[in-house]
């Protein structure tokens, strides 16, 4: 039986193993202290399914304290980098559209402020500039989510 468990463990990806250790059975983070671990793996080098699992973990954050911890640790900056990656080329935009929508859902559940949105930036742009670009997105769901974010925070 122990050998069977070890074989199952080997089949899990790095992301799955890490998330299994820090999430509850419902997929939410066990404790705010694990927010940094999740943000460390939130990068575009993983597969779409792994990125989806990471975003789901943030979406399912069970308490306000955990969501606040994500904001404090600059989850918005990590999300901005991902969202820029999701829109790099026309082909990638189509492939990553569900993840772009999910990243926007994450933004809508985080306790953000106008100040946080305006001061979050990368070397290429600011988060509010990214939002203003996405308002004109060809996908209606993306545009609607961005409109809701702007109405809620800006």
């Amino acid at each position: 039986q122990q050998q069977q468990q070890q074989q199952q463990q080997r089949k899990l990806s790095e992301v799955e193993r890490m998330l299994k250790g820090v999430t509850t059975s419902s997929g939410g983070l066990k404790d705010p202290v694990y927010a940094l671990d999740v943000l460390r793996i939130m990068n575009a080098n993983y597969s779409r399914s792994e990125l989806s699992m990471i975003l789901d973990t943030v979406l399912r954050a069970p308490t306000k304290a955990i969501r606040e911890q994500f904001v404090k640790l600059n989850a918005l900056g990590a999300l901005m980098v991902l969202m820029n990656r999701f829109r790099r080329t026309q082909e990638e935009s189509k492939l990553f559209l569900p993840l772009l929508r999910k990243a926007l859902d994450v933004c809508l559940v985080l306790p953000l402020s106008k100040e946080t949105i305006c001061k979050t930036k990368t070397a290429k742009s600011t988060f509010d500039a990214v939002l203003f670009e996405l308002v004109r997105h060809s996908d209606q769901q993306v545009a609607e989510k961005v409109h809701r974010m702007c109405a809620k925070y800006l």
Side-chain angles (χ1 to χ4, degrees), residues 3-147:
Q3 187 178 13
Q4 214 173 21
Q5 286 176 334
Q6 287 175 340
Q7 284 177 340
Q8 286 179 330
Q9 284 286 339
R10 273 184 231 145
K11 290 179 185 178
L12 296 178
S13 71
E14 174 188 356
V15 169
E16 290 171 314
R17 277 193 310 275
M18 194 289 266
L19 291 176
K20 188 177 180 181
V22 301
T23 57
T24 63
S25 59
S26 63
L29 213 56
K30 290 178 184 175
D31 191 275
V33 36
Y34 297 123
L36 184 59
D37 295 327
V38 173
L39 290 177
R40 281 187 180 137
I41 63 166
M42 190 184 283
N43 67 66
N45 295 332
Y46 293 109
S47 70
R48 288 179 296 177
S49 63
E50 290 171 320
L51 287 169
S52 183
M53 286 185 272
I54 294 166
L55 292 172
D56 281 337
T57 299
V58 181
L59 269 174
R60 294 180 182 142
T63 66
K64 186 176 180 182
I66 291 174
R67 291 187 295 275
E68 287 172 344
Q69 185 68 7
F70 276 116
V71 173
K72 188 187 301 183
L73 294 171
N74 196 28
L76 199 54
L79 287 165
M80 183 177 155
V81 169
L82 285 180
M83 290 191 305
N84 282 330
R85 168 69 172 92
F86 298 159
R87 315 177 298 129
R88 194 176 293 166
T89 66
Q90 190 73 13
E91 189 177 311
E92 287 177 334
S93 287
K94 289 177 186 172
L95 282 173
F96 288 102
L97 187 59
L99 289 174
L100 177 59
R101 291 176 185 151
K102 192 175 280 193
L104 289 168
D105 288 337
V106 169
C107 292
L108 283 163
V109 300
L110 291 175
L112 302 174
S113 66
K114 180 178 181 177
E115 179 187 3
T116 304
I117 289 172
C118 293
K119 75 177 185 178
T120 299
K121 59 185 174 181
T122 65
K124 295 182 180 183
S125 69
T126 60
F127 191 76
D128 55 344
V130 170
L131 289 179
F132 291 128
E133 287 175 27
L134 288 173
V135 165
R136 296 182 300 275
H137 198 280
S138 59
D139 182 73
Q140 184 178 359
Q141 288 182 43
V142 169
E144 286 174 3
K145 289 172 194 265
V146 174
H147 278 286

